[in-house]
Amino acid sequence: LYEEYDNGKDATTNISHVTSVNVGKTYSRALFVSLKPPEKSISAFEQGYEGYHDLLRKASNSTIKPEKIQVAMPTLQEELEKAISDCRYQSILIGESHLVQPIKLVIEESGCNQIKVGVFDRTPELDSKLAKGELDFVMDQFHDMQGYAAVQFATLYVTTGIVVPPPPGGVHFSGPSFMTMENTATQGKLNICEEDPSAPGCFDRNNITIGGVVHGTGNDRFWDMVFSAAEQSAIDMGVELKFDRFGPEENLYEKMGSKITSLCKSDIAGLFVTLSDEGVIDAVRNCQELNPNLQILSTNAGYEKSKELNLVHHIGMLEDDAGYQAGIKMEEMATFNKALCFNHEPGLN
């Protein structure tokens, strides 16, 4: 079910499948535990509980009874023992990371080790517990990325006046991401350690190479800005950039496909592309098969194809929406009954 959600699909269409495969007849009670919020405050975990509650109810046709308790620190141990000691629950979702240890302790002392335990918001301590099998999963919102990206966006605005447009829905989502024992060692690491890049969990950016392949040619002023910005970004981030600019040859897309394949077989850590031709899309698809661990994102062109290929991100705008907004502005600016739109790439669908 999570994979369906993560891939941007409507997870509810597969509820019956999830019920029969993952829930079964033995799953009847689930618990959500969080601290009591201050009076009149709005708790994010309350909203988390609502999502937990609604999904389990739908997935089980209301046979699962999700419950919640909000505990107070002075009586934490007593409340947990009262709720958990009879092993009545099959799963427990924990609101705050510092509740994991006392809850796990009560579970072990009560002999309820069959209970599946998950928690919100990842920490180094929770990484360790995942790796040891002491936790089943963490729902991570990449809160380190929230701080990192906030500084990037603010710096971009101060230096250029550019405001990064929000995606559809208005939010630059950093999560949720589903962390388990299998992927916790490779997901969400922002430990760039300048003093000792060889330390565990650190990356030496000087050893990171990013590749780029776009359909902008050497005689196009639009792409001057793209190449210039990419080169500056590589300098700012301290990484190597392999980003060649093609001439205005007729076999541009063949060259793009060959370049994608060449980069895919090299030691690059990431790749960005414009999905401007079916041959280029095939090259990206082949690259995914050749190097399944390579992170690929699309930029400028090919949003729908990017979704089909399940790429990491698409950076750009939706052309149909841009055309629509331009039409609205034209209508506001003048009275007319004819409009003309020039195709800047004749022969390209």
Side-chain angles (χ1 to χ4, degrees):
L1 180 69
Y2 176 77
E3 288 174 355
E4 292 295 324
Y5 166 79
D6 197 37
N7 290 336
K9 300 174 184 175
D10 183 4
T12 58
T13 59
N14 287 317
I15 286 296
S16 59
H17 171 71
V18 174
T19 304
S20 60
V21 174
N22 295 337
V23 178
K25 297 179 180 180
T26 61
Y27 196 175
S28 60
R29 303 190 74 173
L31 180 66
F32 180 87
V33 183
S34 67
L35 289 173
K36 287 183 179 177
E39 189 176 355
K40 296 183 179 179
S41 71
I42 298 175
S43 171
F45 297 114
E46 187 71 16
Q47 297 172 348
Y49 166 71
E50 293 302 328
Y52 182 59
H53 175 278
D54 291 347
L55 179 59
L56 288 180
R57 295 283 287 185
K58 288 177 182 177
S60 67
N61 293 323
S62 298
T63 60
I64 297 178
K65 299 177 175 63
E67 303 167 32
K68 70 174 178 179
I69 60 171
Q70 293 180 314
V71 296
M73 288 304 293
T75 57
L76 176 64
Q77 190 76 11
E78 179 183 343
E79 292 183 72
L80 291 176
E81 289 177 355
K82 182 178 178 181
I84 299 173
S85 60
D86 61 355
C87 306
R88 75 187 78 167
Y89 300 105
Q90 285 82 48
S91 72
I92 298 177
L93 181 61
I94 303 171
E96 295 94 344
S97 60
H98 52 274
L99 292 179
V100 170
Q101 191 59 36
I103 288 175
K104 288 294 293 184
L105 184 62
V106 171
I107 287 174
E108 291 169 6
E109 290 178 347
S110 304
C112 305
N113 294 318
Q114 79 283 359
I115 297 177
K116 302 296 183 183
V117 180
V119 62
F120 286 107
D121 298 338
R122 182 170 176 225
T123 66
E125 292 75 21
L126 294 182
D127 274 351
S128 176
K129 289 185 179 297
L130 279 175
K132 296 175 183 177
E134 296 174 4
L135 267 179
D136 292 285
F137 68 87
V138 176
M139 294 304 298
D140 190 20
Q141 59 175 303
F142 291 138
H143 37 296
D144 45 0
M145 181 59 73
Q146 293 169 13
Y148 192 87
V151 173
Q152 282 193 321
F153 283 19
T155 303
L156 182 66
Y157 176 73
V158 170
T159 55
T160 67
I162 294 174
V163 176
V164 179
V171 180
H172 293 276
F173 284 107
S174 60
S177 186
F178 192 65
M179 315 301 296
T180 65
M181 180 192 294
E182 287 73 26
N183 66 4
T184 186
T186 57
Q187 295 287 325
K189 299 292 189 181
L190 274 178
N191 300 329
I192 313 300
C193 309
E194 296 179 0
E195 293 183 3
D196 184 10
S198 64
C202 294
F203 296 100
D204 183 357
R205 283 181 172 169
N206 293 320
N207 295 328
I208 295 175
T209 302
I210 304 297
V213 181
V214 300
H215 64 277
T217 57
N219 61 348
D220 191 331
R221 294 298 301 276
F222 172 89
W223 290 98
D224 289 349
M225 298 176 65
V226 176
F227 276 84
S228 176
E231 290 163 4
Q232 185 61 54
S233 179
I235 293 170
D236 293 344
M237 298 298 289
V239 300
E240 182 182 352
L241 178 65
K242 291 184 177 180
F243 191 24
D244 297 331
R245 194 164 184 174
F246 300 107
E249 296 94 347
E250 292 184 1
N251 58 345
L252 170 64
Y253 299 115
E254 291 180 19
K255 287 183 175 293
M256 287 179 66
S258 297
K259 188 64 176 180
I260 288 170
T261 302
S262 173
L263 287 170
C264 187
K265 293 178 178 179
S266 70
D267 59 351
I268 60 171
L271 175 65
F272 62 93
V273 298
T274 55
L275 302 174
S276 49
D277 177 80
E278 287 297 330
V280 172
I281 293 166
D282 288 340
V284 171
R285 191 176 287 113
N286 291 336
C287 181
Q288 290 176 312
E289 295 176 1
L290 284 170
N291 192 348
N293 294 322
L294 180 64
Q295 298 299 312
I296 307 175
L297 62 85
S298 58
T299 186
N300 180 262
Y303 170 66
E304 293 297 332
K305 292 296 183 181
S306 183
K307 288 197 297 183
E308 288 179 20
L309 293 168
N310 198 28
L311 301 190
V312 180
H313 296 295
H314 178 78
I315 302 171
M317 68 179 182
L318 303 181
E319 282 82 359
D320 54 349
D321 182 60
Y324 185 83
Q325 296 299 328
I328 290 176
K329 286 299 179 184
M330 280 287 188
E331 188 178 29
E332 291 174 354
M333 292 167 61
T335 301
F336 61 93
N337 56 20
K338 286 186 178 181
L340 179 63
C341 179
F342 284 96
N343 180 7
H344 69 292
E345 291 184 337
L348 179 66
N349 292 326

